[in-house]
mmCIF file of all heavy atoms in Angstrom:
data_model
loop_
_atom_site.group_PDB
_atom_site.id
_atom_site.type_symbol
_atom_site.label_atom_id
_atom_site.label_comp_id
_atom_site.label_asym_id
_atom_site.label_seq_id
_atom_site.Cartn_x
_atom_site.Cartn_y
_atom_site.Cartn_z
ATOM 1 N N LEU A 34 108.173 80.748 99.103
ATOM 2 C CA LEU A 34 109.110 81.774 99.585
ATOM 3 C C LEU A 34 109.906 81.217 100.768
ATOM 4 O O LEU A 34 109.322 80.644 101.691
ATOM 5 C CB LEU A 34 108.338 83.019 100.048
ATOM 6 C CG LEU A 34 109.175 84.122 100.705
ATOM 7 C CD1 LEU A 34 110.028 84.859 99.674
ATOM 8 C CD2 LEU A 34 108.282 85.133 101.433
ATOM 9 N N VAL A 35 111.215 81.403 100.724
ATOM 10 C CA VAL A 35 112.055 81.025 101.865
ATOM 11 C C VAL A 35 112.608 82.301 102.503
ATOM 12 O O VAL A 35 113.053 83.211 101.795
ATOM 13 C CB VAL A 35 113.215 80.102 101.417
ATOM 14 C CG1 VAL A 35 114.175 79.837 102.583
ATOM 15 C CG2 VAL A 35 112.670 78.786 100.879
ATOM 16 N N ALA A 36 112.541 82.365 103.826
ATOM 17 C CA ALA A 36 113.133 83.505 104.550
ATOM 18 C C ALA A 36 114.292 82.982 105.387
ATOM 19 O O ALA A 36 114.162 81.972 106.083
ATOM 20 C CB ALA A 36 112.082 84.153 105.441
ATOM 21 N N VAL A 37 115.427 83.675 105.279
ATOM 22 C CA VAL A 37 116.597 83.290 106.075
ATOM 23 C C VAL A 37 116.813 84.373 107.132
ATOM 24 O O VAL A 37 116.926 85.558 106.802
ATOM 25 C CB VAL A 37 117.861 83.169 105.186
ATOM 26 C CG1 VAL A 37 119.070 82.758 106.031
ATOM 27 C CG2 VAL A 37 117.625 82.175 104.051
ATOM 28 N N LEU A 38 116.838 83.934 108.383
ATOM 29 C CA LEU A 38 117.051 84.866 109.494
ATOM 30 C C LEU A 38 118.315 84.442 110.228
ATOM 31 O O LEU A 38 118.456 83.275 110.605
ATOM 32 C CB LEU A 38 115.839 84.807 110.437
ATOM 33 C CG LEU A 38 115.911 85.613 111.725
ATOM 34 C CD1 LEU A 38 116.004 87.100 111.449
ATOM 35 C CD2 LEU A 38 114.687 85.333 112.603
ATOM 36 N N VAL A 39 119.246 85.384 110.405
ATOM 37 C CA VAL A 39 120.477 85.068 111.134
ATOM 38 C C VAL A 39 120.463 85.848 112.448
ATOM 39 O O VAL A 39 120.393 87.079 112.444
ATOM 40 C CB VAL A 39 121.736 85.454 110.315
ATOM 41 C CG1 VAL A 39 123.001 84.969 111.034
ATOM 42 C CG2 VAL A 39 121.679 84.861 108.912
ATOM 43 N N GLY A 40 120.515 85.115 113.565
ATOM 44 C CA GLY A 40 120.573 85.772 114.871
ATOM 45 C C GLY A 40 119.203 85.964 115.486
ATOM 46 O O GLY A 40 118.191 85.462 114.973
ATOM 47 N N ASP A 41 119.185 86.726 116.580
ATOM 48 C CA ASP A 41 117.966 86.807 117.402
ATOM 49 C C ASP A 41 117.439 88.215 117.591
ATOM 50 O O ASP A 41 116.786 88.503 118.581
ATOM 51 C CB ASP A 41 118.240 86.177 118.780
ATOM 52 C CG ASP A 41 118.181 84.667 118.681
ATOM 53 O OD1 ASP A 41 117.201 84.168 118.101
ATOM 54 O OD2 ASP A 41 119.137 84.008 119.137
ATOM 55 N N ASP A 42 117.727 89.110 116.638
ATOM 56 C CA ASP A 42 117.219 90.474 116.751
ATOM 57 C C ASP A 42 115.677 90.438 116.795
ATOM 58 O O ASP A 42 115.031 89.865 115.908
ATOM 59 C CB ASP A 42 117.706 91.286 115.531
ATOM 60 C CG ASP A 42 117.176 92.695 115.557
ATOM 61 O OD1 ASP A 42 117.577 93.453 116.450
ATOM 62 O OD2 ASP A 42 116.337 93.030 114.691
ATOM 63 N N GLY A 43 115.113 91.033 117.850
ATOM 64 C CA GLY A 43 113.665 90.932 118.079
ATOM 65 C C GLY A 43 112.843 91.492 116.927
ATOM 66 O O GLY A 43 111.887 90.863 116.464
ATOM 67 N N ALA A 44 113.232 92.694 116.435
ATOM 68 C CA ALA A 44 112.461 93.328 115.365
ATOM 69 C C ALA A 44 112.537 92.478 114.095
ATOM 70 O O ALA A 44 111.513 92.239 113.429
ATOM 71 C CB ALA A 44 112.990 94.730 115.097
ATOM 72 N N SER A 45 113.733 91.961 113.769
ATOM 73 C CA SER A 45 113.882 91.144 112.561
ATOM 74 C C SER A 45 113.017 89.897 112.649
ATOM 75 O O SER A 45 112.396 89.483 111.667
ATOM 76 C CB SER A 45 115.341 90.716 112.366
ATOM 77 O OG SER A 45 116.132 91.840 112.097
ATOM 78 N N ARG A 46 112.993 89.288 113.852
ATOM 79 C CA ARG A 46 112.163 88.085 114.031
ATOM 80 C C ARG A 46 110.696 88.404 113.782
ATOM 81 O O ARG A 46 109.969 87.660 113.125
ATOM 82 C CB ARG A 46 112.348 87.524 115.443
ATOM 83 C CG ARG A 46 112.988 86.167 115.392
ATOM 84 C CD ARG A 46 112.811 85.357 116.635
ATOM 85 N NE ARG A 46 112.458 86.108 117.819
ATOM 86 C CZ ARG A 46 113.157 86.097 118.942
ATOM 87 N NH1 ARG A 46 114.263 85.409 119.002
ATOM 88 N NH2 ARG A 46 112.745 86.753 120.000
ATOM 89 N N THR A 47 110.253 89.570 114.303
ATOM 90 C CA THR A 47 108.855 89.975 114.107
ATOM 91 C C THR A 47 108.558 90.138 112.619
ATOM 92 O O THR A 47 107.536 89.667 112.123
ATOM 93 C CB THR A 47 108.585 91.321 114.826
ATOM 94 O OG1 THR A 47 109.015 91.192 116.167
ATOM 95 C CG2 THR A 47 107.131 91.701 114.787
ATOM 96 N N TYR A 48 109.464 90.817 111.879
ATOM 97 C CA TYR A 48 109.234 91.052 110.443
ATOM 98 C C TYR A 48 109.175 89.727 109.677
ATOM 99 O O TYR A 48 108.289 89.515 108.850
ATOM 100 C CB TYR A 48 110.348 91.920 109.826
ATOM 101 C CG TYR A 48 110.446 93.310 110.422
ATOM 102 C CD1 TYR A 48 111.677 93.947 110.556
ATOM 103 C CD2 TYR A 48 109.315 93.990 110.847
ATOM 104 C CE1 TYR A 48 111.773 95.219 111.109
ATOM 105 C CE2 TYR A 48 109.407 95.263 111.407
ATOM 106 C CZ TYR A 48 110.641 95.858 111.534
ATOM 107 O OH TYR A 48 110.733 97.110 112.090
ATOM 108 N N VAL A 49 110.132 88.839 109.978
ATOM 109 C CA VAL A 49 110.182 87.559 109.258
ATOM 110 C C VAL A 49 108.926 86.739 109.558
ATOM 111 O O VAL A 49 108.311 86.173 108.649
ATOM 112 C CB VAL A 49 111.466 86.774 109.627
ATOM 113 C CG1 VAL A 49 111.369 85.334 109.178
ATOM 114 C CG2 VAL A 49 112.671 87.427 108.980
#
Side-chain angles (χ1 to χ4, degrees):
L34 174 72
V35 174
V37 180
L38 175 64
V39 186
D41 281 311
D42 178 67
S45 294
R46 245 199 341 237
T47 308
Y48 298 146
V49 166

